[in-house]
Amino acid sequence: MFRRYFKFWREALDFHSGAYRLDFFWIHVVNDLILAIIGFATLTVSNSFWFVLKVDAAVFIVLFVPSLSLFIRRLRDTGFSINQVMFVLLSPSLLWIAIDISAELRSIVLALLVILIYFGWLLFLVSRRSAYWTPWLSRKEKIGYGIGFAVMVSLSFGLQLAAGSVIRQDVKKVLVHAVFKQQKIEKDTVQTTESDTSSSSELSSSAERIPSSSSSASSEIPDKSIVDVPDDSVTKAYRQLSVDVIGDSDFGHFQVKGNWQQDTSSLQWLQLTQQIMILTSTQGQGWVVDFSSFSFQKIIGQSQLTLSNFPTISALRIDGTYKSPNSDTVKNMAYLEWHTSDGHIRVVYVIAPSQALLNLIVKTIGETYQSQ
């Protein structure tokens, strides 16, 4: 069996002889399994689908010329002349023309039908019997090759399925990030237009809104160190509650106290006993939230937050007050933001009924945050 695969490399630059059907399909199954193994091993080590794509691209480059020569030898073995082989090699241009026509007609069904017909035609060409001589296989050899095909296809499919969760997660992040980027561009355009037509009083009031990133933090926000505040009754009661861990696989996790409930539609965590709310988000997950509803009523100052488990990361903290749109209750609010090594932004909103409780929760987040 593997003698045929080694022959594939020996004849990597042979564009003139022939290749039997068994050689062609066996080699492709082996190459697919090798790619699946390399991809799965790379994904296990790096946990990044995009790095896997780079590795697979390098392998494809190595396999390109040998695979092209094998394809040409298979066509020559079926009796195709050199002119017919050249037509098949240039046929992808006809496929793109057909797809462009389907796009102009805005017919997805037609495009899928064209692709199906094209690849079905290629499969028919490489599946034809040899025009010269087809080797004879014994019953034992046929069974051996059949088992080999089944095992390799199953292993390849299993490895790809195992990597599917990571792939879906990375692709989802890219898609959501693209949506966020487009929304941000549209929002910046609207804000620029509004700023050109607004009065000076409107400009000053808009400065009170929460910044979307540390780089956009207004220079008017004073640097103000956090002052320790003695525990009040609600903070003392909070300290007596059992420890809980909130977060998710995208954002990370950190410790809080009490029983927390998650509102998955708005990505909020709620602790009803002390009327606390925490919102966590990342650039790949939470930017669909309407952050304008969490604008500060008043900004008090900004400072730096220390992340105990990530001392090299600079985290921004902005403190102020928040007024609920459904009542006249004013609470203390802190906005936290930092950039992780994966290039994503971590954003946290904490709203608590007292400054002492707010400081305690923010301090605990800084001490216990873990990215995994």
Side-chain angles (χ1 to χ4, degrees), residues 49-64:
F49 172 60
W50 308 112
F51 184 68
V52 174
L53 283 182
K54 294 178 182 179
V55 174
D56 283 347
V59 177
F60 273 120
I61 292 174
V62 174
L63 291 174
F64 177 75

Side-chain angles (χ1 to χ4, degrees), residues 96-349:
W96 284 116
I97 292 174
I99 292 177
D100 286 340
I101 294 174
S102 302
E104 290 293 332
L105 297 175
R106 298 183 179 181
S107 175
I108 297 178
V109 175
L110 180 59
L112 293 176
L113 183 61
V114 167
I115 294 173
L116 182 63
I117 292 175
Y118 176 76
F119 285 101
W121 172 65
L122 289 182
L123 182 62
F124 167 76
L125 293 181
V126 298
S127 300
R128 297 194 304 164
R129 292 177 60 87
S130 172
Y132 307 106
W133 177 73
T134 301
W136 180 84
L137 296 177
S138 66
R139 181 181 179 86
K140 182 178 180 180
E141 288 175 323
K142 290 180 180 179
I143 294 175
Y145 278 113
I147 294 175
F149 272 108
V151 170
M152 289 190 177
V153 171
S154 299
L155 286 175
S156 178
F157 180 76
L159 291 173
Q160 295 175 22
L161 189 64
S165 59
V166 177
I167 294 173
R168 288 192 298 271
Q169 185 179 15
D170 282 1
V171 172
K172 177 183 176 182
K173 286 182 178 180
V174 171
L175 293 176
V176 175
H177 177 61
V179 173
F180 155 71
K181 187 175 181 180
Q182 181 62 32
Q183 290 177 343
K184 188 174 185 300
I185 292 174
E186 294 174 355
K187 182 178 179 181
D188 290 343
T189 303
V190 172
Q191 288 179 342
T192 302
T193 304
E194 290 177 349
S195 64
D196 291 338
T197 57
S198 62
S199 63
S200 59
S201 60
E202 289 174 329
L203 286 173
S204 61
S205 63
S206 65
E208 294 295 309
R209 293 190 176 183
I210 180 68
S212 61
S213 67
S214 57
S215 61
S216 64
S218 173
S219 59
E220 298 178 1
I221 301 177
D223 293 329
K224 187 174 182 180
S225 301
I226 302 302
V227 179
D228 290 333
V229 180
D231 284 0
D232 52 14
S233 58
V234 68
T235 307
K236 292 179 180 179
Y238 177 83
R239 290 183 182 273
Q240 302 303 316
L241 299 175
S242 58
V243 175
D244 193 4
V245 177
I246 64 175
D248 54 43
S249 58
D250 284 336
F251 175 86
H253 299 84
F254 55 87
Q255 292 183 5
V256 289
K257 287 193 174 183
N259 296 319
W260 290 76
Q261 302 174 1
Q262 184 182 19
D263 181 0
T264 55
S265 62
S266 58
L267 305 175
Q268 297 177 19
W269 297 85
L270 305 172
Q271 203 262 63
L272 300 179
T273 306
Q274 272 82 29
Q275 296 297 311
I276 312 168
M277 192 212 75
I278 294 178
L279 182 143
T280 62
S281 67
T282 72
Q283 205 173 38
Q285 177 188 3
W287 289 102
V288 293
V289 177
D290 179 14
F291 285 104
S292 62
S293 63
F294 293 96
S295 297
F296 281 101
Q297 181 195 44
K298 179 181 180 181
I299 293 179
I300 297 174
Q302 62 180 341
S303 59
Q304 295 296 316
L305 172 68
T306 300
L307 300 177
S308 300
N309 295 318
F310 305 92
T312 60
I313 294 178
S314 177
L316 171 72
R317 171 177 176 174
I318 298 179
D319 283 82
T321 58
Y322 168 76
K323 182 178 179 181
S324 172
N326 300 322
S327 67
D328 294 331
T329 304
V330 177
K331 294 185 178 182
N332 296 273
M333 182 167 75
Y335 169 87
L336 316 175
E337 178 188 301
W338 61 89
H339 295 248
T340 57
S341 58
D342 60 7
H344 287 176
I345 294 176
R346 299 297 188 267
V347 171
V348 184
Y349 286 84

Side-chain angles (χ1 to χ4, degrees), residues 64-106:
F64 177 75
V65 173
S67 298
L68 178 62
S69 67
L70 175 65
F71 181 67
I72 292 176
R73 293 199 307 273
R74 176 82 275 266
L75 294 177
R76 295 294 297 272
D77 190 62
T78 62
F80 270 32
S81 65
I82 187 63
N83 292 332
Q84 291 172 317
V85 171
M86 291 301 298
F87 173 78
V88 176
L89 294 179
L90 296 175
S91 62
S93 59
L94 299 177
L95 174 64
W96 284 116
I97 292 174
I99 292 177
D100 286 340
I101 294 174
S102 302
E104 290 293 332
L105 297 175
R106 298 183 179 181

